[in-house]
Amino acid sequence: MTSDMMITLSVLAITAALFMSGKVRSDLVAICSLIVLVLFDILTPDEALSGFANSIVIMMIGLFVVGGGIFQTGLAKMASGRLLKLAGTSETRLLVTIMLASAGIGAFVSNTGTVAVMLPIVVSMAMSSGISPSRLLMPLAFASSLGGALTLIGTPPNLVIRETLMNAGFEELSFFSFTPIGLVCVGLGTILIVVLSKFLLPKGAKKAKGTRGEGRSLEELAGQYQLSQNLYRVQVGEGSPITSKKLIDLDIPKRYHVHIIELRRRTSSKNPFFKTINQEIAGPTTLLQEQDILYVYGAFEQVEQFAKENGLDLLDQQVVERTGDNPSKPSSQSNGYASREIGIAEVLLPPNSALINKLVKHSGFREKYNVNILGIQRKGEYLLHDLKDEKIRSGDALLVQGTWEGISLLSKEQTDVVVVGQPLEAAASVTLDHKAPIAGGIMLLMIVLMILDIFPAVVSVMIAAVLMVVTGCLRNMEEAYKTINWESIVLIGGMIPMSIAIQNTGAAALLSTQLVESLGSFGPLALLAGVYFTTSILTLFISNTACAVLFAPIALTAAVELGVSPMPFMFAVAIGAGMCFAVPFSTPPNALVMSAGKYTFKNYVRLGLPLQLILGVVMVILLPFFFPF
């Protein structure tokens, strides 16, 4: 073993270990590994940067933009919503429909985007059908990964093996090369999930059928975040020192550790009653007046101190506010944090959200969307106080309160947040935006160009991406750039040169020789099983793209050494990398549904591990029939 090979394998091992730990961003790890390989003269600067000029990276950028156009115009929401409405209220029919819709959309756009669009629709459909969302959300995430096996552009590992085969002089894969084996994956996966989920998914709490409400069960959210125990009403008394002052100047959260989230104001001095139409979110510029009723969120002792020091009356539970002649008690659970105009919703953060590691006070929720963050759910615990200086972390679920209009505006921001718990009608709405047909036509044009092979695949994708901007499906280039997951792009661009180093130093030949020597004597089927399950196990710990980039050249060399066609082995790498279900953080869709479905790590292992193993065994048996040795 040469010194260059030892250094390359050491860098590879350290890189894999850092990927598994998850403590350092994967794109930073990839760039650092490149720098080390350049410093040791294993890669030239040109070779180190070659990954960013690779057609895979350029195609992924284009596909993110095309997918962004599909999502922004509402086309994906329309398609999935219409399909789900046809499913009725039967849990099995709804489950099958959700999976087929998710797989179908996931065949053409990113699986993360697919789940982000469908998640609020599925939650609202589940609630209105009396089904626990936990019965549907994990299958939704798994189906989006299954759909990635249907087309060339379904998932990055598919593009990786295409590029590896082309560079080695083998026939280029077509757009639908994956479709036959992908249909088997989707069909078998759907059947297995429908059967296994009956026994292995949590039952969850059901909601009575036909129950309507302004959200994904406001009572459930309120109880979950203990809103009723932390919401109090105080009235600004005569001569109060906070009268005629703006909230931003009073700095109440810092001084008293309480938050004023809403106020209700008398409409006329002649009218002794309060009208809920004057209910409004308390913002930094809100000017307080005498007789205002403030809804204050915080611990009772701190609210009491705030009221005592500022001449406020702490109202008891019997005081009634009136709208005309209709009393509504403030102790009613929905009153105080939700009404016809104002509501609450739960917000989930995709793993690549720009909000991760930002302080709550710097999140911009209030400034951009006029909503307040009331609580944070983190690993089964609820943070309810002193949130201003709390750092938002990956996997957090946020409880926000604001106008329904503001929440609706927030729900359109699918890059950094996914809103669940918005009004049932809004979540399930499938209104067709006027640009949606154009986005659908552009997507169809891209597929036709790729099937007919009129241009290289990367050119077809870039044509479609440019058309999305030119036709207004994305408003401008800034919107287009926002749709791109730059962490994934940098990761792919950084890992491709790693595979060059593995090949140039002979590490790929060494590892493939060991594979052949240990399994080759048992025949190509045993080697195929080794390739598939090694990839499948590795992708539990590192991203499927990085896994495919690293293992594709090893599998190719092993097949050539054994003297058989590399096709089944390369498809084993792509499918093995894409079908990862046994852990929650192996893929963004798995992580995205964790909070919404209230899943634990054990839930993923119970359903995902048998699914991953059974699919693996079937793929190893069937791949040689589709792609003979």
Side-chain angles (χ1 to χ4, degrees), residues 124-199:
S124 65
M125 290 292 179
M127 298 304 296
S128 61
S129 301
I131 300 168
S132 170
S134 64
R135 305 288 297 168
L136 304 174
L137 293 181
M138 194 182 293
L140 167 67
F142 290 176
S144 70
S145 296
L146 290 168
L150 287 171
T151 64
L152 176 65
I153 63 172
T155 186
N158 298 1
L159 298 172
V160 169
I161 69 162
R162 169 185 174 272
E163 187 78 7
T164 305
L165 286 166
M166 284 176 58
N167 292 340
F170 290 92
E171 182 183 354
E172 182 179 347
L173 298 177
S174 69
F175 187 84
F176 290 116
S177 292
F178 289 82
T179 305
I181 194 68
L183 288 171
V184 175
C185 287
V186 172
L188 178 62
T190 301
I191 293 170
L192 288 172
I193 290 173
V194 169
V195 174
L196 294 175
S197 65
K198 291 183 182 295
F199 311 102

Side-chain angles (χ1 to χ4, degrees), residues 248-471:
I248 193 171
D249 299 325
L250 296 172
D251 205 14
I252 293 168
K254 186 175 181 180
R255 292 171 58 196
Y256 299 101
H257 302 289
V258 299
H259 295 271
I260 298 177
I261 59 176
E262 179 186 313
L263 66 84
R264 299 189 183 183
R265 179 164 292 160
R266 191 188 300 266
T267 58
S268 167
S269 59
K270 298 178 181 179
N271 188 346
F273 301 114
F274 292 89
K275 294 184 178 181
T276 55
I277 194 171
N278 284 55
Q279 177 184 9
E280 54 186 78
I281 293 291
T285 59
T286 298
L287 196 68
L288 299 178
Q289 300 177 9
E290 284 187 9
Q291 302 303 310
D292 281 351
I293 289 182
L294 310 179
Y295 279 75
V296 183
Y297 188 69
F300 176 75
E301 295 79 9
Q302 293 162 331
V303 173
E304 191 176 39
Q305 181 187 357
F306 166 59
K308 186 176 180 181
E309 294 182 5
N310 292 281
L312 309 175
D313 298 322
L314 186 61
L315 303 182
D316 63 50
Q317 293 296 304
Q318 302 307 313
V319 176
V320 174
E321 298 168 20
R322 294 179 182 270
T323 303
D325 296 321
N326 296 322
S328 70
K329 290 186 179 181
S331 57
S332 168
Q333 199 169 27
S334 64
N335 202 21
Y337 55 80
S339 70
R340 187 178 298 276
E341 294 82 20
I342 293 173
I344 58 175
E346 196 167 32
V347 174
L348 308 180
L349 303 178
N352 61 328
S353 172
L355 294 171
I356 292 172
N357 293 325
K358 281 190 176 182
L359 297 177
V360 166
K361 64 184 177 184
H362 296 151
S363 65
F365 275 71
R366 185 188 289 244
E367 294 79 6
K368 291 182 183 177
Y369 307 106
N370 196 30
V371 299
N372 298 308
I373 297 177
L374 300 185
I376 300 175
Q377 179 191 346
R378 179 177 296 157
K379 296 181 179 178
E381 297 181 355
Y382 296 90
L383 309 178
L384 304 170
H385 305 294
D386 302 326
L387 296 180
K388 187 178 178 182
D389 295 311
E390 187 67 40
K391 188 177 285 188
I392 298 172
R393 298 179 187 173
S394 178
D396 283 353
L398 313 177
L399 184 73
V400 299
Q401 186 211 35
T403 62
W404 287 121
E405 183 181 357
I407 292 172
S408 177
L409 183 64
L410 183 63
S411 71
K412 295 177 182 177
E413 175 58 71
Q414 291 161 351
T415 305
D416 295 321
V417 297
V418 177
V419 176
V420 293
Q422 56 191 313
L424 294 177
E425 293 81 1
S429 67
V430 291
T431 53
L432 181 60
D433 190 279
H434 68 287
K435 293 286 185 181
I438 298 174
I442 293 171
M443 172 70 108
L444 186 61
L445 173 65
M446 181 186 75
I447 295 170
V448 170
L449 291 176
M450 295 183 77
I451 294 171
L452 298 179
D453 202 19
I454 296 174
F455 306 109
V458 65
V459 176
S460 300
V461 172
M462 294 311 294
I463 289 172
V466 170
L467 286 175
M468 284 290 183
V469 178
V470 172
T471 59

Side-chain angles (χ1 to χ4, degrees), residues 4-157:
D4 282 355
M5 189 188 300
M6 289 181 64
I7 292 170
T8 300
L9 290 175
S10 298
V11 171
L12 176 61
I14 294 170
T15 300
L18 289 172
F19 281 153
M20 292 178 196
S21 72
K23 293 181 179 179
V24 184
R25 282 175 57 118
S26 57
D27 51 349
L28 181 59
V29 173
I31 294 299
C32 288
S33 68
L34 275 192
I35 293 172
V36 172
L37 292 173
V38 171
L39 291 176
F40 281 98
D41 288 328
I42 294 169
L43 289 175
T44 66
D46 286 344
E47 286 175 329
L49 296 174
S50 64
F52 296 99
N54 192 283
S55 63
I56 295 175
V57 174
I58 306 302
M59 280 186 72
M60 287 305 302
I61 291 173
L63 289 170
F64 276 124
V65 174
V66 172
I70 296 294
F71 296 134
Q72 292 291 337
T73 58
L75 181 60
K77 184 178 181 182
M78 178 204 70
S80 56
R82 291 257 174 100
L83 283 170
L84 293 182
K85 281 191 172 182
L86 296 174
T89 57
S90 163
E91 180 176 328
T92 301
R93 281 182 60 191
L94 194 56
L95 179 58
V96 171
T97 307
I98 286 169
M99 293 194 65
L100 294 181
S102 178
I105 297 173
F108 301 100
V109 294
S110 77
N111 53 8
T112 306
T114 300
V115 174
V117 165
M118 292 191 63
L119 194 150
I121 302 174
V122 170
V123 168
S124 65
M125 290 292 179
M127 298 304 296
S128 61
S129 301
I131 300 168
S132 170
S134 64
R135 305 288 297 168
L136 304 174
L137 293 181
M138 194 182 293
L140 167 67
F142 290 176
S144 70
S145 296
L146 290 168
L150 287 171
T151 64
L152 176 65
I153 63 172
T155 186

